[in-house]
Amino acid sequence: MILLGLLFIKFVFSYEIDVNTFSNYLDVQNRHVHFEWLINMEKKLINATANYQFHVVGSSIYKISLDIKDLTIYTIYMDNGVVLRYSVDYPYADSDQGQRLNIMLNREYKRDEFVILTIKYSIDARSESISFMDISQTQTKSMPYLFTQCEDAYCRSLAPLQDTPAIKQTYSATIIYKDIEASDVFMSADETQEQFTILNHPSINPNFTWKYKYFVQKTPIPSYLFAIVAGNLLKVPTSNGGRTFLISEPDKINEYKEELKDMEQFLQAIEQYIGPYTWGTYTIVILPPSFPYGGMENPLLTFASPTIMTKTGSGLYVAIHEMAHSWFGNTITCINWANMWINEGFTVFLERKASLFYYKVLDDIKLNAIIGNATMYQDILDLGPDNNFTSLHPDTTGINPQLSISEIPYEKGFQFLTFLEGIVGAEDFKYMLRSYLNKYKYKSIDQQEFQHFILRYLYEQHVDDYSTKRYRILEYWDTWIYQPGLPPIILDFSTNKLIETQQYTTSYIIADGRQPDNYAQYFNFYPSQKKVFLEELFKKAQNNQLKLNIIEQIDKDLQLTNDNDYELKFRWFKAILTAGDRTRFNLIANFLGEVGTCEISCPVYKALNELDHDFAVQTFQTHQEFYHQIIRNSIQSILEKNIQLIK
């Protein structure tokens, strides 16, 4: 009966349902939320009020159910002051997806009615969406720091919400904070001079001044894109054009600005392929090193790890990727986390198209695709080729969707789109994507709707040989989407630069601890070539061909252990640990205490754990307070694969 019910819901609402929300979003949907947050950095506490405008879309409702996790709920009341009863339950008691907040309404509400209600609650250090950082954890050591990370389903620990990408809402906010705890505050919304009614007037204190900032996000967004950052922050323009800005702690802002001076050109390169940027301005925040990801595409406030600031420009692909999310992910969004490739695969595709427009080096783009494919292949091996999570449509029923995240939706999704482009034709595919954006602007969809669109578009455009193209698109569609393991079609990203890099790697193996004649060739490599070289070394280590004397010679020649580029450094450490090198343990431990980005730290922890579990545990215990909770969980999962579990 449950299965029949789900099938009925899917038929009625046409799109797939989200199994990772406990909310009754199919019956009632939030249209706008206003937050009032009184921030206390010292106590790691936020006293919060949220006012909602719900729209009934089902036939009728008696209650509203929302997602929450580790929030303290004080009271819930209607706009007329009527206090509402509520209860909290645990739909999946054995998972870490949080709880369901059930709000009993004062009467029956019918289709197209609005429900206006307010929830008073508080957020504390238990929240998985917020990092409260002490002064000692910041760059300038002058003020504490706060930042959020809500993707995938962590915004339920920021506020009671319909925590699903299926629901988009506008939001506004009043942020109240102490001048001694933050010089400024920013959100994934526009600053406004409009002053909203303040419910929580803090008392006057002679030791500091309360400051107020107001924000409005007029474009509907899913809850995972709510974001705030507070601390010793400065905002500056990055380039001419008045559209692109940088926020960071003041001590490195000039250094970061220099490296990001071409942000306006990045934006123009993306627009050249896909069409106009519709969000107004674009701002990137370089966060402290404990930020758990390379980047996060919060609209108007992209978050990025300082690891992308390499002084060589090699990390700027991350900046282009996050910028590309303004079209794919933020404008068109996946309906649920089983369709995450609709966010990430499309974004990688657009990132590489824009990078080709900007850098005009096809070999570099192909090499980045090869690197991405290698990472995806390793993720498939780690998960197991038959694992549901290695498909483009993972089933996350009953579990935190974060557990399904890997490089697969990024790279397999990119390859699927590249496969489709090969059928449709590059120019027709570009215009098809522009039409796709226009049709589904600010909406959430699933892969089936994208299939319907592409077939309908080609038919309406009277493309040549439509029947053959339709057959070729549908022939492998379900295999691409649902089959676990490797993609069903192997795409050719080969380039002479790959062969050149492989030959360079082999020259070190053949030299067997001596300096090869062509060693200086490395310094003329593209950044992507250097990554390919290190991935090739990792393969040699896996095959027991990377000997310790070869490692010593490579490091003597190329100084990889001391490289400032984290993308190169983590690959080097991964390779030498796999080869059994124990001589750099302390340097590697220090490295793992400097970077909290999972893409960089987790592969090194995996290699270290396989070589010396005890030292890996010791390293983690030394640095665990530095890591964000999301990455702390990921590292613990890696370490717990050993017989001895982390306690």
Side-chain angles (χ1 to χ4, degrees):
M1 289 299 293
I2 293 175
L3 178 59
L4 288 175
L6 292 178
L7 289 173
F8 173 75
I9 289 171
K10 186 180 187 304
F11 174 77
V12 171
F13 290 91
S14 75
Y15 291 140
E16 296 176 20
I17 63 169
D18 187 346
V19 298
N20 295 117
T21 177
F22 304 140
S23 66
N24 56 339
Y25 75 99
L26 298 176
D27 298 318
V28 59
Q29 298 177 356
N30 187 42
R31 300 305 184 204
H32 180 81
V33 58
H34 175 73
F35 299 114
E36 184 177 295
W37 289 338
L38 177 62
I39 300 175
N40 189 320
M41 298 271 215
E42 180 185 1
K43 294 183 178 179
K44 299 183 178 180
L45 178 69
I46 298 176
N47 286 316
T49 302
N51 178 264
Y52 305 81
Q53 297 177 17
F54 289 103
H55 181 210
V56 180
V57 295
S59 58
S60 65
I61 61 169
Y62 290 93
K63 72 174 182 178
I64 294 175
S65 296
L66 302 177
D67 297 297
I68 63 171
K69 187 174 185 185
D70 296 328
L71 298 175
T72 302
I73 307 297
Y74 297 116
T75 186
I76 303 174
Y77 54 90
M78 303 291 294
D79 57 334
N80 60 6
V82 173
V83 176
L84 300 177
R85 295 181 299 110
Y86 66 89
S87 65
V88 175
D89 61 19
Y90 296 76
Y92 294 118
D94 57 347
S95 86
D96 63 347
Q97 292 186 86
Q99 304 88 41
R100 176 169 53 199
L101 174 65
N102 301 296
I103 303 168
M104 317 308 168
L105 299 176
N106 58 331
R107 63 174 175 84
E108 178 185 18
Y109 286 79
K110 296 188 176 182
R111 189 190 306 275
D112 281 337
E113 283 196 275
F114 280 84
V115 183
I116 313 298
L117 60 81
T118 298
I119 302 177
K120 297 185 78 67
Y121 68 102
S122 64
I123 314 163
D124 57 40
R126 296 173 299 164
S127 173
E128 289 182 325
S129 65
I130 293 187
S131 281
F132 291 95
M133 302 181 68
D134 297 327
I135 290 176
S136 62
Q137 295 175 286
T138 66
Q139 291 280 357
T140 55
K141 306 290 189 290
S142 59
M143 289 181 173
Y145 200 102
L146 175 154
F147 68 87
T148 53
Q149 173 56 38
C150 286
E151 191 183 28
D152 302 354
Y154 293 109
C155 208
R156 61 194 65 185
S157 63
L158 188 68
L161 290 164
Q162 295 175 319
D163 197 2
T164 168
I167 298 301
K168 293 188 173 184
Q169 61 259 292
T170 57
Y171 83 89
S172 55
T174 301
I175 307 301
I176 308 169
Y177 60 101
K178 301 176 184 178
D179 64 347
I180 60 171
E181 292 188 336
S183 64
D184 216 335
V185 172
F186 301 93
M187 296 190 76
S188 55
D190 288 310
E191 295 181 31
T192 179
Q193 298 303 311
E194 178 182 0
Q195 297 188 13
F196 305 106
T197 301
I198 298 173
L199 298 176
N200 298 298
H201 286 278
S203 58
I204 296 174
N205 190 303
N207 298 315
F208 59 83
T209 300
W210 289 105
K211 299 180 73 174
Y212 299 79
K213 287 199 75 172
Y214 307 92
F215 299 90
V216 173
Q217 175 55 268
K218 295 181 180 179
T219 301
I221 61 172
S223 59
Y224 76 87
L225 293 178
F226 292 159
I228 184 170
V229 61
N232 184 17
L233 299 172
L234 187 63
K235 181 178 181 178
V236 296
T238 62
S239 51
N240 295 330
R243 291 197 297 176
T244 60
F245 297 86
L246 162 69
I247 295 171
S248 82
E249 292 186 78
D251 62 325
K252 291 194 173 184
I253 200 157
N254 290 330
E255 176 185 320
Y256 293 158
K257 180 180 178 179
E258 174 61 25
E259 193 153 359
L260 293 168
K261 64 181 182 296
D262 292 336
M263 275 178 61
E264 174 64 28
Q265 284 67 42
F266 295 162
L267 202 56
Q268 291 176 12
I270 300 173
E271 289 178 315
Q272 193 171 352
Y273 180 82
I274 202 64
Y277 178 72
T278 62
W279 294 83
T281 60
Y282 183 89
T283 299
I284 189 168
V285 185
I286 306 300
L287 280 94
S290 64
F291 181 59
Y293 299 120
M296 179 60 212
E297 64 272 16
N298 310 306
L300 306 177
L301 199 73
T302 286
F303 286 173
S305 165
T307 59
I308 76 169
M309 299 286 98
T310 63
K311 300 181 181 178
T312 65
S314 65
L316 295 183
Y317 284 102
V318 174
I320 297 173
H321 177 90
E322 302 309 330
M323 193 176 279
H325 265 303
S326 302
W327 286 263
F328 297 125
N330 296 6
T331 296
I332 296 180
T333 308
C334 58
I335 199 83
N336 57 22
W337 297 114
N339 284 275
M340 188 179 185
W341 76 275
I342 285 179
N343 286 14
E344 297 299 349
F346 277 80
T347 299
V348 173
F349 184 87
L350 180 56
E351 166 206 334
R352 288 176 182 157
K353 289 293 184 184
S355 297
L356 183 57
F357 269 106
Y358 182 74
Y359 291 108
K360 297 179 172 58
V361 183
L362 180 59
D363 284 333
D364 196 33
I365 306 306
K366 287 185 174 182
L367 289 171
N368 276 315
I370 290 168
I371 294 163
N373 187 67
T375 307
M376 177 188 73
Y377 179 65
Q378 188 60 51
D379 285 343
I380 290 172
L381 290 180
D382 290 344
L383 290 165
D386 296 326
N387 192 308
N388 148 60
F389 291 169
T390 66
S391 79
L392 277 181
H393 198 276
D395 180 9
T396 58
T397 304
I399 62 172
N400 190 325
Q402 178 69 31
L403 297 175
S404 72
I405 301 306
S406 69
E407 202 68 15
I408 292 161
Y410 296 76
E411 296 298 335
K412 202 175 192 179
F414 160 76
Q415 291 185 30
F416 182 34
L417 292 170
T418 304
F419 168 75
L420 293 174
E421 181 190 42
I423 296 172
V424 174
E427 196 69 8
D428 285 341
F429 198 74
K430 176 177 73 175
Y431 286 107
M432 185 274 293
L433 288 180
R434 291 183 179 186
S435 179
Y436 166 69
L437 274 162
N438 185 60
K439 180 174 178 59
Y440 298 106
K441 189 176 183 179
Y442 309 132
K443 296 179 181 178
S444 301
I445 70 165
D446 59 20
Q447 58 86 22
Q448 194 66 52
E449 184 62 26
F450 174 60
Q451 182 198 94
H452 294 330
F453 171 79
I454 189 172
L455 296 176
R456 186 168 57 245
Y457 175 86
L458 295 176
Y459 177 78
E460 292 173 351
Q461 294 298 311
H462 306 291
V463 297
D464 293 338
D465 207 9
Y466 169 76
S467 295
T468 301
K469 289 178 179 178
R470 181 181 186 278
Y471 173 79
R472 291 181 62 198
I473 288 169
L474 293 178
E475 181 182 13
Y476 290 103
W477 188 284
D478 284 353
T479 309
W480 274 101
I481 298 295
Y482 295 106
Q483 180 175 287
L486 293 171
I489 306 295
I490 304 302
L491 303 183
D492 182 12
F493 298 111
S494 60
T495 163
N496 288 334
K497 291 295 182 182
L498 173 63
I499 298 171
E500 176 186 314
T501 310
Q502 290 172 330
Q503 291 173 341
Y504 178 81
T505 309
T506 301
S507 70
Y508 263 107
I509 302 301
I510 294 173
D512 196 22
R514 299 183 301 276
Q515 185 183 80
D517 294 337
N518 62 340
Y519 83 95
Q521 185 180 358
Y522 175 85
F523 301 106
N524 295 318
F525 279 176
Y526 300 137
S528 56
Q529 269 184 287
K530 294 179 179 180
K531 294 175 188 176
V532 169
F533 163 62
L534 293 167
E535 290 295 340
E536 289 294 317
L537 284 183
F538 176 61
K539 292 178 186 177
K540 299 296 184 184
Q542 289 178 309
N543 295 327
N544 299 315
Q545 293 178 280
L546 185 60
K547 300 177 184 177
L548 296 183
N549 61 334
I550 299 174
I551 291 172
E552 292 301 327
Q553 187 61 50
I554 292 173
D555 209 14
K556 180 180 177 182
D557 293 341
L558 309 182
Q559 296 293 303
L560 294 172
T561 298
N562 298 319
D563 202 303
N564 289 323
D565 189 330
Y566 284 92
E567 285 281 344
L568 300 180
K569 204 166 183 176
F570 96 81
R571 288 181 166 88
W572 168 244
F573 287 151
K574 179 180 71 170
I576 66 175
L577 287 170
T578 302
D581 182 10
R582 296 172 175 269
T583 63
R584 294 165 174 79
F585 267 16
N586 289 335
L587 291 170
I588 290 171
N590 291 338
F591 169 80
L592 290 170
E594 295 172 355
V595 55
T597 305
C598 192
E599 297 98 312
I600 291 175
S601 59
C602 289
V604 178
Y605 264 110
K606 182 176 181 295
L608 182 60
N609 185 57
E610 290 174 356
L611 179 60
D612 192 321
H613 173 72
D614 290 340
F615 188 77
V617 171
Q618 177 186 326
T619 302
F620 171 71
Q621 290 174 340
T622 300
H623 301 306
Q624 62 179 320
E625 293 305 317
F626 163 75
Y627 300 124
H628 190 283
Q629 182 61 45
I630 294 173
I631 303 312
R632 201 178 301 160
N633 293 342
S634 297
I635 296 171
Q636 285 180 314
S637 179
I638 290 169
L639 299 179
E640 287 170 1
K641 288 182 180 179
N642 199 286
I643 296 173
Q644 181 181 349
L645 301 181
I646 298 297
K647 299 298 183 183

